[in-house]
Each structure stands twice: as structure tokens, then as C-alpha cells.
């Protein structure tokens, strides 16, 4: 559980960084191994399809990703743990492995979450993995892809539907690799959670707060070691820096809210991660979790438009 001082700091500043909260061997290493296996299978598939000239199985994970990316194989959606917000097909890839499911249910993580939102915890479906390459390798078409390059300033309430405005949502940004200002760690605006919802505009592929509305001099980068977690309030303004290092930067965005409160993405599935009152309702089978997402994919395939935020992309204030 978090200390009283940590809880007070979270409510005062709108965020809290807890370094090495997770156990690397128990929480992080199984995820890394799972993704290495996932890349093995994807590389073999892409070779068979003629999209990749070699599986590059002799290379380390990150070097293989470089070759895959250079060949035009968009690994980022195949690695992600949520569906995209539009253009969903019956075969849109999504990763729903047991190690990721166990990370979502990590006792160390949920204990800290309980300190901030209580013991009835729902896994919110607004979640992503971000394995971002060095910016120098990013192709022009991916420069504004939030799964590949810098994430624009935003609030998590701003990228969800208004139904979640009263939800006690908590974001948990989990560092798998070391996160530094050089390789693109998150940056926050302390105490910005008290300022209300800000205008969000769509710029190319990303929704974000216009740069002119951000007090850049107040921005605070938040470096973390592997296993560290950055918790922040849904109204806290945050974004990420470019990855100007020579290595990939790997993180997960996980979100939780009290059971029964709106998630802000009603078309995507969540689940009960912990219930002190009714523990028998907790989902503990990763196959059942995977089925929830696969059923959602089948339901949403070829749906022309899915409303997932409150903003009008043609708002004159965004011109």
C-alpha cells in the first residue's frame, strides 16, 4: 500500500511516481519473454507472406524490431493490448497474452491502486503498450503516431467520453525499460488536475491540447527505472518526449476505476480486477479476458465510426 505521504502528494500534485514498485522478475520479465515469443511468431508469418526477407532470429529483440519496422511491418498494433479507435476489421491484430493479463492483475500494482481509488477495482479498457523506436528511425508517416513517437499533451478525461467525467479513473504508466528524458519519458504539469478540462484538437493522427495552451516552462519530466509506475489523475496534463536515444523505450498505459463507474469507452471491454466485497466476481482467466476483446472486435468490425471522445475535429478553435 502507498504511504499517507504518497497519497497526499498524489492529491496535491495530480501525479505520483513510485520507482521500482513492481518486481522485475515476477511482473516485468514474463511480459518481456511473452513479447519475444510474439515477435518470433510474427516474424515467421511476415517471412511466409513475403513481407520480411528474414526472421532475424539471431538478433536481439530490439534489433529485430528495427529490421521489422524498416521492412514496413507495423508491429505496433500487433503488440498493442487494445483495439484501435477506428477502422477495426475482423482480423485487426491485438495481443492478449497471459503475462500481460497477469500484469494487469499484479498484486503489487493493485495494492497501490487500492490506496488511491479503493478496493473495488475495475480494469479500464483504455490501455496500450508503447515500444517506441529511436526517433531517427521513425518513418514520416509515423511521426504523429502516439504508439511510435512522442505523445501530445493531453488529459485522460479529454480522450474519453464525457460519461467518465465523474469517474475516479487512475492511470498507471508502467516502465518496462528505463525511462529518461533522453529516451522519451513522460512529462507532467504539476497541479494541472485542478484546472478543468482543456480544449483538445486533432492534429494529423493525434488528439491533444494545443501547444499554445501549455505552460512548457512548468513541465516536469518523470524518469523511472524498470518496474517503476507513474500514477496520475485523469485531469492531469501530460505527454511524452521524443525518443532521442539509440534504444527503444518500452512502457504500458494501464487504467483502473471503481467498479460500476463509467469507463469512457463503453464499446471496449473491461473486467473486475479486484473486489474486496465480492472476490468471486474477479476475473482470473486470461482466456476469458481475451474472449471479451475478440468478441468486441467481431462486433465492431467494419463499423464506420466509433465515437470515443467529445471533440469535434473541425472545431474552429482548433484552426
Amino acid at each position: 500500500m502507498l504511504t499517507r505521504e504518497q497519497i497526499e502528494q498524489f492529491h496535491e500534485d495530480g501525479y505520483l511516481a513510485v520507482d521500482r514498485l513492481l518486481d522485475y522478475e515476477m511482473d516485468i520479465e514474463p511480459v518481456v519473454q511473452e513479447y519475444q515469443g510474439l515477435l518470433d511468431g510474427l516474424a515467421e508469418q511476415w517471412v511466409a507472406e513475403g513481407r520480411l526477407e528474414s526472421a532475424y532470429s539471431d538478433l536481439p529483440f530490439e534489433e529485430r524490431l528495427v529490421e521489422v519496422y524498416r521492412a514496413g511491418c507495423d508491429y505496433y498494433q500487433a503488440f498493442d493490448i487494445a483495439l484501435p479507435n477506428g477502422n477495426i476489421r475482423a482480423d485487426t491484430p491485438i495481443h492478449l497474452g497471459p503475462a500481460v493479463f497477469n500484469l494487469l492483475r499484479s498484486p503489487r500494482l493493485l495494492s497501490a491502486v487500492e490506496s488511491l481509488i479503493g478496493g473495488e477495482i475495475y480494469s479500464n479498457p483504455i490501455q496500450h503498450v508503447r515500444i517506441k523506436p529511436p526517433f531517427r528511425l521513425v518513418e514520416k508517416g509515423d511521426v504523429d503516431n502516439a504508439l511510435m513517437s512522442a505523445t501530445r499533451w493531453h488529459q485522460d478525461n479529454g480522450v474519453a467520453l464525457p460519461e467518465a467525467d465523474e469517474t475516479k479513473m487512475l492511470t498507471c504508466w508502467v516502465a518496462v525499460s528505463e525511462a529518461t528524458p533522453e529516451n522519451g519519458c513522460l512529462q507532467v504539469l504539476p497541479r494541472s488536475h485542478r484546472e478543468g478540462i482543456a480544449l483538445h484538437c486533432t492534429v494529423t493522427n493525434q488528439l491533444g491540447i494545443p501547444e499554445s495552451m501549455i505552460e512548457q516552462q512548468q513541465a516536469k519530466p518523470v524518469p523511472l527505472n524498470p518496474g517503476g509506475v507513474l500514477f496520475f489523475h485523469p485531469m492531469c496534463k501530460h505527454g511524452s518526449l521524443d525518443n532521442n536515444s539509440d534504444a527503444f523505450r518500452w512502457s504500458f498505459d494501464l487504467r483502473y476505476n471503481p467498479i460500476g463507474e463509467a469507463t469512457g469507452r463503453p464499446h471496449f471491454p473491461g473486467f473486475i480486477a479486484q473486489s474486496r466485497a465480492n472476490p468471486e466476481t474477479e476475473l482470473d482467466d486470461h482466456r476469458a479476458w481475451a474472449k471479451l476483446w475478440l468478441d468486441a472486435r467481431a462486433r465492431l468490425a467494419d463499423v464506420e465510426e466509433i465515437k470515443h471522445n467529445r471533440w469535434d475535429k473541425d472545431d474552429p478553435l482548433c484552426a
Side-chain angles (χ1 to χ4, degrees), residues 37 40 64 97 127 134 172 239:
D40 286 340
R64 293 181 77 187
Q127 56 191 30
C172 309

Side-chain angles (χ1 to χ4, degrees), residues 269-289:
F271 67 91
I272 296 175
Q274 175 184 294
S275 175
R276 296 296 190 190
N278 300 290
E280 70 280 1
T281 64
E282 297 174 4
L283 189 68
D284 59 6
D285 184 347
H286 91 275
R287 292 165 297 187
W289 171 65

Side-chain angles (χ1 to χ4, degrees), residues 2 18-31 99-100 102-113 172-176 224-231 252 254 256:
L2 300 178
V18 184
D19 218 357
R20 304 185 190 278
L21 174 72
L22 300 181
D23 183 281
Y24 191 86
E25 291 186 1
M26 297 181 69
D27 295 311
I28 305 299
E29 182 61 29
V31 173
V100 169
N102 289 339
L103 177 62
L104 286 164
R105 299 177 64 252
S106 163
R108 284 157 292 282
L109 181 59
L110 293 181
S111 179
V113 171
C172 309
W173 192 91
V174 178
V176 175
L224 286 170
N225 286 300
V229 181
L230 172 60
F231 300 95
F252 282 90
L254 308 179
Y256 300 90

Side-chain angles (χ1 to χ4, degrees), residues 83-92 296-306:
L83 293 167
N85 289 317
N87 301 316
I88 297 171
R89 308 180 310 273
D91 62 349
T92 294
R297 183 177 67 178
R299 184 180 72 253
L300 297 169
D302 302 319
V303 172
E304 187 171 337
E305 184 175 355
I306 302 170

Side-chain angles (χ1 to χ4, degrees), residues 149-169:
S149 58
T151 305
R152 293 184 179 275
W153 285 100
H154 67 283
Q155 297 161 299
D156 281 354
N157 269 15
V159 298
L161 292 171
E163 65 175 29
D165 281 355
E166 302 303 318
T167 294
K168 200 174 182 180
M169 190 187 300

Side-chain angles (χ1 to χ4, degrees), residues 163-228:
E163 65 175 29
D165 281 355
E166 302 303 318
T167 294
K168 200 174 182 180
M169 190 187 300
L170 179 69
T171 295
C172 309
W173 192 91
V174 178
V176 175
S177 60
E178 183 182 18
T180 68
E182 182 186 15
N183 73 9
C185 70
L186 275 191
Q187 51 182 346
V188 301
L189 288 181
R191 295 173 291 284
S192 59
H193 64 304
R194 306 174 184 180
E195 299 171 359
I197 194 77
L199 174 69
H200 286 60
C201 298
T202 300
V203 180
T204 59
N205 296 320
Q206 276 200 60
L207 184 69
I209 302 169
E211 293 284 335
S212 61
M213 300 177 64
I214 298 295
E215 298 180 7
Q216 297 284 356
Q217 69 277 13
Q218 301 297 323
K220 182 177 180 180
V222 186
L224 286 170
N225 286 300

